[in-house]
Amino acid sequence: MSRGQFLIRGMNLAIIGTGYVGLTTGTCFAEVGHKVVCVDNNEDKVKSLRQGKMPIYEPDLEDMIVSNVSAGRLEFTTNLKDAVRDCEIIFIAVPTPPHEDGSVDLSYIEGVSREIADALTPDMGYRIVVDKSTVPVSTGVKVLQVIERYSHKGVDIDVVSNPEFLREGSAVYDLLNPDRIVIGADSQRAMDMMKRVYQPFNAPIVEVDLASAELIKHAANSFLALKISYINAVSAVCEKAGADVELVAMGIGMDKRISRHFLNAGLGYGGSCFPKDVKGFINVAEQLGAPMELLKEVERVNTAQLERFLGRIRKKLWVLRNKKIAVWGIAFKQNTDDVRESVAVKLIKRLCEEGAEVCAYDPKAAETGAAALAGYDVTICDDMYECVRDAEVLIVATEWKQFATANLVKVRELMRLPILFDGRNIIHGENALHAGFEYHSIGRKTLRPTED
Ligand code: UDX
Ligand code: UDX
């Protein structure tokens, strides 16, 4: 889609919460011609954004922010009141982190709802408050109650659910090319206005009630997590049976009813969404009296996958204490600096706890990784080859492309022992073998150089 192709009239939109979701969503709305104000209560973040400094790494985002700011379609502020006054639609994209028991912490959503209520006055005319954050079913109804309770009499509002399906690392692409747009509204007036927001995106719109939209998000993310756990459970069987999980995934994925997407076996899913959304869905289903036991098994398989991998490394090295282990990848997936719930971080922590000397490298997550690993005796390298110098094992923990295309002969020469554990199945096994490695991966036979 090219810029400016479509809109008859751009709308005035406010996005509250300028994180991975809010910042990319707001920028893409501006890109298609809307006038967007991004609000955040973090003054430093807003100041940096105004100076053109990016708070996160996300491909293509920086250029798009710069061009839309200079076109006058995108601005940043801490002033929620003015944004509510000036914008007909207000999107909430603040965090919804998990509590200890798996239930969702909705205090940021509640707090922002009260701030919106404070800012609303009857003379402003009709306003729509849209929940973009992932929330348990029935949150929208509660947001409406809070706004009605705390605002002046006579304000005219609707609350809508419009979940976001972007993946970090390809967020701009996902936003501009969505498979579908889900809008949950209990009023036709709100639905019609929301359809105008998305008119430029040229994607099918799923028009549903508020509760169904909220459930679609939890159910979609949990289903994707289930697919990953399914193939990871299959990978364990493959290892025992001498089969190849990549071939199995290809064979089952060619059935259109299943599809090959999200069937990559690895160290398990991480990130700010899947772990918390699976937990959140389990929790809300339990509270509603319709428990989703199936999802508990999804979590169990996800945790077991890392344990199994660690067990195989332990078996190979016998003792981890004082072994030099290089880890490629700290981010929870490729193309991001985000380390929230990263399996790579969990792996590094476990190796350190067992006394290994860990040296880690990530193309974008060195800084965020260092913060997440504070207190652990780990060296973070700024060069992927330096990272492996004198190492006894190299572990690939994140699926960055540059690890797949690394010069393995050079890596082998720098290492002390030729042992490679590929936790994401991204290295070409034959290449590793030719470089002289013993190659361990997920759900596939170990490849060992033959003695001449
Ligand atoms: C978050 C949630 O984790 C996710 O469930 C939801 O779907 C969307 O929002 P993300 O964008 O990744 O996802 O969160 P984060 O990067 O932490 O950004 C949230 C932003 O909201 C931060 O910039 C924070 O400063 C801001 N914020 C938080 C507010 O502006 N007001 C608040 O009250 C709380
Ligand atoms: C996810 C959803 O895909 C997105 O629709 C939603 O809006 C937010 O949550 P995100 O967490 O950004 O997006 O990344 P995603 O690409 O889904 O990967 C999540 C985790 O699953 C990563 O740790 C990744 O390594 C892992 N994964 C993904 C696998 O292990 N195998 C796969 O086949 C796919």
Side-chain angles (χ1 to χ4, degrees), residues 164-168 262 264 270 273-274 332-333 399:
E164 184 46 65
F165 299 98
L166 64 83
R167 291 163 301 173
E168 288 178 30
F262 279 68
N264 293 323
C273 290
F274 286 171
F332 84 96
K333 61 179 283 193
E399 58 274 58

Side-chain angles (χ1 to χ4, degrees), residues 15-28 38 40 45 49 54-59 61 65 93-95 132 164-172 175 271-273 331-340 364-365 367-369:
I15 315 280
I16 300 173
T18 312
Y20 286 87
V21 173
L23 183 60
T24 38
T25 306
T27 306
C28 289
C38 285
D40 204 285
K45 196 179 235 189
L49 280 163
M54 292 302 112
I56 54 167
Y57 169 73
E58 185 62 45
L61 186 62
I65 290 179
V94 294
K132 262 262 166 245
E164 184 46 65
F165 299 98
L166 64 83
R167 291 163 301 173
E168 288 178 30
S170 54
V172 169
L175 270 158
S272 69
C273 290
F332 84 96
K333 61 179 283 193
Q334 82 284 24
N335 294 331
T336 181
D337 60 352
D338 196 349
V339 296
R340 289 178 288 180
K364 293 288 174 196
E367 216 173 293
T368 47

Side-chain angles (χ1 to χ4, degrees), residues 307-318:
E307 292 310 317
R308 208 159 49 80
F309 191 68
L310 276 164
R312 289 170 62 200
I313 296 170
R314 251 183 244 121
K315 195 171 167 203
K316 182 72 212 168
L317 292 182
W318 189 21

Side-chain angles (χ1 to χ4, degrees), residues 170-205:
S170 54
V172 169
Y173 177 85
D174 289 350
L175 270 158
L176 294 177
N177 303 278
D179 287 347
R180 80 309 201 182
I181 286 150
V182 173
I183 304 176
D186 293 338
S187 110
Q188 195 55 46
R189 178 158 66 145
M191 182 63 80
D192 291 343
M193 260 174 85
M194 287 299 293
K195 280 161 75 179
R196 270 181 51 215
V197 174
Y198 283 103
Q199 179 219 324
F201 288 82
N202 208 11
I205 292 182

Side-chain angles (χ1 to χ4, degrees), residues 16-23 39-42 45 56 80 92-97 107-109 111-112 115 132-135 164 168 217 272-273 276-277 338 340:
I16 300 173
T18 312
Y20 286 87
V21 173
L23 183 60
V39 186
D40 204 285
N41 65 1
N42 181 333
K45 196 179 235 189
I56 54 167
L80 185 142
I92 303 179
V94 294
T96 48
S107 59
Y108 297 114
I109 299 270
V112 164
E115 284 185 70
K132 262 262 166 245
S133 300
T134 304
V135 292
E164 184 46 65
E168 288 178 30
K217 178 64 198 249
S272 69
C273 290
K276 108 174 140 63
D277 292 349
D338 196 349
R340 289 178 288 180

Side-chain angles (χ1 to χ4, degrees), residues 423-440:
R424 295 290 174 183
N425 285 2
I426 55 162
I427 306 268
H428 197 286
E430 288 300 318
N431 290 350
L433 205 56
H434 286 139
F437 277 104
E438 182 177 298
Y439 176 71
H440 303 255

